[in-house]
Structures are given as structure tokens and as C-alpha cells.
Amino acid sequence: MKNLNIILKGFIVLFTCFCSFQKLNAQVKLPQIIRDSMVLQRNSPIEVWGWSSPQEKITVTFNEERLSTIASTDGNWSVSFKKMKEGGPYSMKINGKNEITLKDILIGDVWLCAGQSNMVHQLDIHDVTYADEIANTDYPEIRHFKIPTQTDLNGPDADFNGGSWQAAIPEEIRPFSAVAYFFAKQIYEKYKVPIGLINASVGGTPIESWTSENGFKEFPEILETIEKNKDTVYVNSRNRENNRPYNITSEHRDKGLIGPIKWYEPNFKPNDWRNISIPGYWEDQGIRNLNGTVWYRKEIEIPNEIDMQEATVFLGRIVDADELYINGQKVGNTTYQYPQRRYAIPKNILKSGTNLFTIRVTNYNGKGGFVPDKPYYIYTKKDTIDLMGYWKYKVGEVFEPKAPSSSVKPFNAQNEPTALFNAMVAPYTQLHLKGILWYQGESNSGKPKAYSRLLKALINDWRKQFHQPTIPFIYAQLPNFMEVNYSPEESNWAQLRQSQIEGLKIPNTGMTVNIDLGEWNDIHPDNKKDVGKRLALSALKLAYNEDVVHSGPLYSGYQIREKTIEISFSNIGNGLVSKDGNQLSEFAIAGEDKHYVWAKAKIEGDKIIVWNDKIQKPKYVRYAWADNPNNPNLYNVEGLPASPFTTE
């Protein structure tokens, strides 16, 4: 044992010496965000930082200015160049024990674009809608840097892994955030100033994961969670839990994959298969409460004249996962419900005449099947072949509900407080920004009233983190989504929109209203262009001091006038209008009991008068208070929609 201790101590000494030697001989390194083709903020000090050997002399040359510094004992160093006007391209040279040269640097406006999936969504995902834009874009001075998804539960990171700056040209634009691109295009076309977009966004994530630990000083329960998550043993115990509520052990429990002949094979003979329609959910077509796998089969006739060498299958959206087989060959698959299904068909799979299409659909929760009002067809340059109509189906597997567990609930690190801030925002808070764009909220709709405090905490936190206490913070209010509401009722999405309005109480913030830009059947609506353009309008007002109407009407107050309620607004522009010329709709009114009924409403000057003849003592009004209001038609003359609201 004594000899073992001596050996271990010797190993520790050698390891320490080796690490010290490595540190002393470390080469100069730059953070991942400081790379070729980057955009730096104009009219602000330009910070350059990195790491090297302890107390190493570092020299940075930029725009004919030469700065030197000595690294700290920890190997950290930084220099700050004087403010510059827009322009470029420039090069930068960093000298220590090694030399780094950066090229094609532009000086312009840098925007941090953050949030969840609707900020993530790349132009590539919407390449049918924006095909011309992708093919013909030519804005080499609009640059985009997608921060790779990564997490850290222990604290802020000094750097992240991966990523590069890309330009808005056809060869590089597909990974751009669609919302951020259309925002930048509006700004660039007006000012011809280089635009840098730092895209830090991750689908399905809550606002808590984007806020730093310092931002939660008034949230003791969240601080307790943050502290627990720093314990690796605790985190590992949660990670071992199965995230899905069903005992799904292997695909080989699926009857369609068990037998000697699989259900997707051309020589399989289907017996006792029933009819079902595509599109549509199977719960609406005679299958009750099924979570599992359902197989769809249909013979599709392909005309001789169609060019089958460049064909794509459009399968809309499917809940949740799918696998497509054509003539027994697997053509594509998607593992979760949100992406649009577009599968390029490899050559020599399609043939003239009869082709067997088989789709295996897996559903974990709620209604399973094919989302209505989406494209379902085979597309070629010359023609399309419709895939909608009756198919044959058979259930392959029924998932057994998992027994309730008393153990610690499972979790996904990216959904935990601070995890994304630490890894995807903290590493570059030294940068100066023009402003911040935020598109998030869907993942917090389960607790919508809490979002008000959380949004204010995020705004204040990021302003402190970037040392810019009044930086413009512009965010997108959630659009319409889910089934249309035809009766006044409670709505989490409406309540979350109301909580988003509360963020406007913080100075120099802007909110775009998007209640007309959603899709009932898609949480990721295709219209990203108008979202970006509305964000740009707010930026023109807040960041560029333009005298523009940047928002639709926002509720500002009310007065009860006997049997009517008079509503006042800000941001009315040149006046209030009904967009379609019809009577105003989506207003509801209630008395003391808060039992809402539909109301009549009319425009009188810059006010709205609301009433219902059956409500003798009205007290409350709501407008467009629904997940997906039927026809919210109150706008200003400038064509911007009024925000949903409640007077409660």
C-alpha cells in the first residue's frame, strides 16, 4: 500500500508538471465567434480576446492600429480597439508564440437572434416557399453565425465548440434562420450597412434555460434547481429515467417487422386491412386511444410520361414519426412530428405503372396520423401526383402505458435553467451588439402567467450580461395556432400573449404582433418573411430612431360607459380600421361573473366601443382571446394587427 501511494504521488507530480508544460507552451487561441468573415459592431469599442500561455505577450493589429498586452497568469488576454464606422473588408493579425490572421472582417450592426424553434427554422426547411429567395439572394454583407446546440449546467462557459460565419449568397444561405434573414434583409436594403446575425436558438426550449443564474435572484425555487443540477450524481439519476411514457423496448414487437415477410415488401399479401383517409388523424377515423404504430399501404399509378429521375414525395406533417417505403425500398424517415416531410426519391425506385407505397407511422401521445391542410403528393418538374384519399391500414403495435414511477423525474439538459445561456450566450458577452431579437414562448405555454416575470428577468439579465443597459430588445408575440375557437373560452396561448405584453413595461423594448401569421395545424408556420419584416419595423423605431409606426394597436386602457365599455389604444398610427371592411369581430364581454359572451364592437375615432345588449353591467372585455381566434380584424391603417388583450 505504501509503495502504491508513492507511485500515485509520483504520477500526480508528473501529471501536474505535464499540464504546466502544456500551459506554458500553449498557442494563442481565439474564441469560436472571432473568425474569418465576422461582423463587428460599428460605433462601439471593438473587443478582441483569447487565451495563451501565462504572461505571454500578445499583439493584435487591426485597421492599421496595433495593440499589445500581456496575458494573465491564467492565460487570459484582451484588447479593445477604438470605435469604427461601417465598412470593410478588413483583416486582423494576432501574434504571440504563434500567429493567426483573420480575413474578410466587416464593420456594421450585430444582432443576437435567440429563442426556440421558430427562430431556429432555417430557410432550408422552407425552401419551397422561399425557393426564389434562396436561388437569387445576393447579400454577401449579411452574415449569419449559428451557435451549435450545447449545454452546461455548472456555470458560464468561456467558449463553445464549432460554428462559422456564412454569407447570404445561394451557396451558403440555406442554414440561415429564416426570420433573422428577412429581418436583416429589410435593414440592409434601407441602410446598406453590413449585418451580422448571431443565432443562438434551440427548438422546444423554455425561457428559463436561456437566463443566467444571476437573472434568477428573485426566483428562489429556480435557484434551488440550478444548485441541484450542479451535482453530477443527481443529474445522472434523472438521466437514467425513460423519457417516454410507454414501454417501447424494440421495433421487433411491431407485427409488421416480425414475420418472414415484412409489411412493406412488395410480395406481402395484406389481409383484413381497413380503409383510412390521408390526410387525417386515426382517432378521427375509427381508431380509439391508440398510441403505437400504424401501417398505411396504397398502390400508386405513375404515368409513363413523368420524369421519375427527379421526384420528391411531399408527406405534409405526420404525428409523430414515420418511415416511407416505395416498392419495398426505404426512401426516408423522420423521428418527430414537427418537420415538414419532403423525401427525394432515389433513382430507379419509381417505375411506370403500379408502385407500392407503404408508410409506417409511430405515435406516442395524442392524435396520430397525417396532419390536414398540408401537401401530400409526388412532385416532379413536369407534374404532380396526388397521394390524398383512401389507403389501407393495419395496426402494427400498441404501446403499453408505463407504470407510474416514484423516482426522480427525467429531464433534458437543454430544458434546465441556465443550461443554454451558459453554453450558447455567455461565451461572447464581451461583444457589442446593436440589438437583440427574441422569438420564444411556445414551451412556456403550460404556465403562461409565470412568463411575464420570466421575460422581464431575461431582458434585464441579458442587458447586464452584455453591459448594455438600454440595448433594444425586440420580441415576437406568439401567432395563432391550433383549432379555431368559435366560442369565448380560456386559452393558455392567449394568456401567454398577455404575459408577453407585460415585457413592454421595460423601456426600449418592442413586441411584434403576429396573430395573423400562424397556421392552425403547424407550430412552425411557413410565413417567416412577415415575422422578420415586423421585427425590422420595431428595429427601425428602437435601434435606428426612425419615425415609423412599428406596431399594431396595443390596448392601453378602458372606461365603462353605462352599458358599453370604451377601449383606448396606443400605436394606432393613422387610425383604427377593420381589415376586411366587415364588423369588428373577436370581442367578448363579461360582467362581474367573468362569464364571457361575444360582443358587438365599433370604431369611434381612436377608440373601440364594445357592448352586448344582454350584459347590463359590463365590466371586462377581451379581444382575440383564443389559441387561434377566428377572424381578428382590428388593424391600424398601416396594416398591422392589434394585439390580443384582456382588460382584467
Side-chain angles (χ1 to χ4, degrees):
M1 181 63 71
K2 184 177 180 180
N3 290 337
L4 178 60
N5 288 335
I6 293 173
I7 293 171
L8 288 173
K9 288 178 181 178
F11 174 77
I12 292 170
V13 171
L14 287 172
F15 182 74
T16 303
C17 292
F18 174 75
C19 291
S20 300
F21 177 79
Q22 290 286 90
K23 200 169 186 179
L24 287 169
N25 289 275
Q27 290 191 329
V28 174
K29 181 184 176 185
L30 296 172
Q32 198 66 30
I33 198 75
I34 300 181
R35 287 292 182 267
D36 289 340
S37 304
M38 66 182 171
V39 181
L40 295 170
Q41 181 59 42
R42 60 176 171 156
N43 303 325
S44 294
I46 295 174
E47 311 294 337
V48 182
W49 71 97
W51 307 274
S52 66
S53 302
Q55 299 184 321
E56 181 177 348
K57 182 179 179 180
I58 307 297
T59 301
V60 185
T61 306
F62 182 54
N63 190 30
E64 300 182 351
E65 185 178 1
R66 183 183 176 94
L67 299 178
S68 295
T69 188
I70 302 296
S72 69
T73 55
D74 293 329
N76 297 302
W77 59 266
S78 66
V79 296
S80 181
F81 288 92
K82 62 186 178 184
K83 300 176 183 180
M84 294 173 61
K85 293 182 178 181
E86 62 272 11
Y90 299 98
S91 61
M92 180 184 292
K93 187 174 290 185
I94 301 95
N95 290 95
K97 293 178 181 177
N98 58 306
E99 180 178 288
I100 299 173
T101 300
L102 302 179
K103 301 176 182 178
D104 192 24
I105 299 171
L106 300 179
I107 307 298
D109 288 337
V110 181
W111 288 84
L112 174 57
C113 312
Q116 57 181 108
S117 53
N118 275 306
M119 184 63 85
V120 173
H121 258 224
Q122 308 95 328
L123 280 164
D124 192 38
I125 293 176
H126 302 275
D127 61 355
V128 174
T129 302
Y130 301 118
D132 290 342
E133 193 81 42
I134 293 169
N136 300 311
T137 186
D138 186 22
Y139 297 98
E141 291 192 335
I142 297 177
R143 310 278 175 87
H144 179 272
F145 191 109
K146 177 66 174 77
I147 308 294
T149 299
Q150 42 209 283
T151 61
D152 195 323
L153 297 173
N154 294 306
D157 290 338
D159 203 5
F160 53 83
N161 298 317
S164 63
W165 287 93
Q166 295 175 301
I169 56 178
E171 308 87 72
E172 299 182 21
I173 196 172
R174 283 183 173 271
F176 274 49
S177 159
V179 165
Y181 166 72
F182 287 116
F183 164 84
K185 181 181 176 182
Q186 290 290 114
I187 302 298
Y188 183 82
E189 288 185 336
K190 183 171 180 64
Y191 298 110
K192 298 298 187 289
V193 171
I195 302 293
L197 304 168
I198 300 174
N199 179 3
S201 49
V202 179
T205 54
I207 193 171
E208 294 92 329
S209 61
W210 293 102
T211 307
S212 81
E213 185 170 354
N214 288 332
F216 288 121
K217 290 181 178 179
E218 297 180 5
F219 298 83
E221 291 183 1
I222 295 178
L223 289 174
E224 184 179 345
T225 298
I226 293 169
E227 198 59 36
K228 285 182 179 179
N229 286 344
K230 293 177 182 178
D231 183 344
T232 304
V233 175
Y234 172 75
V235 170
N236 288 341
S237 71
R238 296 180 68 185
N239 270 328
R240 283 191 292 268
E241 292 291 323
N242 188 344
N243 279 307
R244 285 179 178 159
Y246 299 96
N247 289 320
I248 307 168
T249 57
S250 169
E251 66 177 11
H252 298 298
R253 296 176 59 183
D254 189 321
K255 296 174 184 176
L257 299 170
I258 292 175
I261 302 177
K262 309 298 186 287
W263 288 1
Y264 58 80
E265 295 179 0
N267 58 341
F268 172 74
K269 303 298 182 184
N271 295 316
D272 302 323
W273 286 52
R274 300 174 183 269
N275 287 334
I276 195 167
S277 182
I278 292 180
Y281 300 108
W282 60 60
E283 276 85 354
D284 297 332
Q285 301 185 70
I287 304 176
R288 184 191 300 177
N289 299 330
L290 172 66
N291 294 297
T293 64
V294 176
W295 292 76
Y296 293 70
R297 284 172 57 100
K298 187 171 185 176
E299 291 183 345
I300 306 295
E301 293 296 322
I302 306 293
N304 292 332
E305 62 271 16
I306 283 187
D307 180 4
M308 294 174 287
Q309 300 306 311
E310 295 187 17
T312 303
V313 177
F314 284 67
L315 287 179
R317 282 184 52 236
I318 299 174
V319 183
D320 289 289
D322 65 280
E323 298 170 8
L324 169 65
Y325 300 86
I326 300 177
N327 296 325
Q329 300 295 313
K330 188 173 180 178
V331 170
N333 74 287
T334 304
T335 57
Y336 63 110
Q337 65 169 293
Y338 293 117
Q340 300 179 47
R341 271 56 167 185
R342 296 200 296 268
Y343 300 132
I345 304 175
K347 294 180 180 179
N348 304 319
I349 288 184
L350 279 183
K351 60 186 180 181
S352 299
T354 302
N355 292 259
L356 175 65
F357 278 59
T358 310
I359 308 169
R360 178 179 182 252
V361 179
T362 305
N363 174 245
Y364 303 111
N365 193 31
K367 291 184 175 183
F370 296 78
V371 176
D373 294 341
K374 290 292 178 182
Y376 295 92
Y377 53 76
I378 303 168
Y379 170 82
T380 71
K381 290 184 177 180
K382 294 183 179 180
D383 205 352
T384 60
I385 299 172
D386 194 0
L387 295 177
M388 293 191 292
Y390 282 108
W391 290 51
K392 295 290 185 180
Y393 86 88
K394 194 173 183 67
V395 175
E397 180 179 0
V398 178
F399 296 154
E400 298 176 6
K402 183 180 177 182
S405 172
S406 59
S407 60
V408 181
K409 292 182 179 180
F411 83 143
N412 184 342
Q414 69 182 30
N415 296 334
E416 294 297 305
T418 75
L420 296 176
F421 171 84
N422 289 339
M424 297 178 64
V425 179
Y428 49 87
T429 51
Q430 298 95 318
L431 288 179
H432 287 264
L433 305 172
K434 184 68 172 179
I436 297 170
L437 305 180
W438 178 252
Y439 192 164
Q440 190 277 338
E442 299 93 334
S443 290
N444 287 87
S445 61
K447 295 181 178 180
K449 290 186 178 180
Y451 194 81
S452 172
R453 290 182 64 214
L454 292 168
L455 178 59
K456 292 174 184 175
L458 176 83
I459 295 170
N460 290 326
D461 179 43
W462 281 21
R463 285 177 167 178
K464 290 178 182 177
Q465 295 293 336
F466 283 94
H467 310 288
Q468 294 181 252
T470 60
I471 188 172
F473 190 102
I474 303 167
Y475 55 97
Q477 190 184 55
L478 291 188
N480 49 310
F481 176 54
M482 293 179 283
E483 287 81 1
V484 173
N485 302 71
Y486 288 97
S487 299
E489 58 186 40
E490 296 303 320
S491 161
N492 278 7
W493 275 52
Q495 181 61 62
L496 193 128
R497 295 185 194 109
Q498 184 72 22
S499 292
Q500 289 178 308
I501 294 173
E502 293 293 308
L504 295 174
K505 293 180 179 178
I506 298 178
N508 216 31
T509 57
M511 182 190 75
T512 67
V513 180
N514 307 297
I515 197 63
D516 56 342
L517 301 182
E519 299 177 24
W520 79 268
N521 57 5
D522 203 331
I523 202 170
H524 304 125
D526 249 350
N527 189 350
K528 296 292 187 280
K529 187 173 185 176
D530 286 329
V531 177
K533 290 172 71 174
R534 289 178 185 178
L535 288 168
L537 265 181
S538 283
L540 291 178
K541 179 73 171 181
L542 297 179
Y544 298 94
N545 301 312
E546 296 282 355
D547 184 16
V548 296
V549 178
H550 68 290
S551 168
L554 298 175
Y555 164 77
S556 62
Y558 77 101
Q559 284 191 338
I560 299 174
R561 306 283 192 186
E562 296 182 351
K563 297 180 181 180
T564 68
I565 296 182
E566 179 185 89
I567 308 295
S568 302
F569 296 88
S570 61
N571 295 296
I572 61 175
N574 286 310
L576 301 172
V577 296
S578 165
K579 183 183 180 182
D580 55 13
N582 296 323
Q583 183 159 348
L584 294 178
S585 63
E586 299 305 310
F587 281 89
I589 196 167
E592 184 71 34
D593 61 1
K594 296 185 180 181
H595 176 68
Y596 283 90
V597 295
W598 290 127
K600 294 180 180 179
K602 64 179 180 179
I603 300 170
E604 285 192 359
D606 58 359
K607 305 283 198 301
I608 301 292
I609 309 301
V610 186
W611 76 97
N612 181 302
D613 293 335
K614 295 181 180 179
I615 305 294
Q616 298 299 306
K617 295 182 178 181
K619 188 167 184 180
Y620 306 107
V621 167
R622 285 176 173 175
Y623 171 69
W625 192 265
D627 299 334
N628 187 4
N630 183 37
N631 180 34
N633 58 354
L634 177 60
Y635 283 64
N636 56 25
V637 169
E638 286 72 15
L640 297 172
S643 170
F645 68 87
T646 179
T647 63
E648 288 184 36

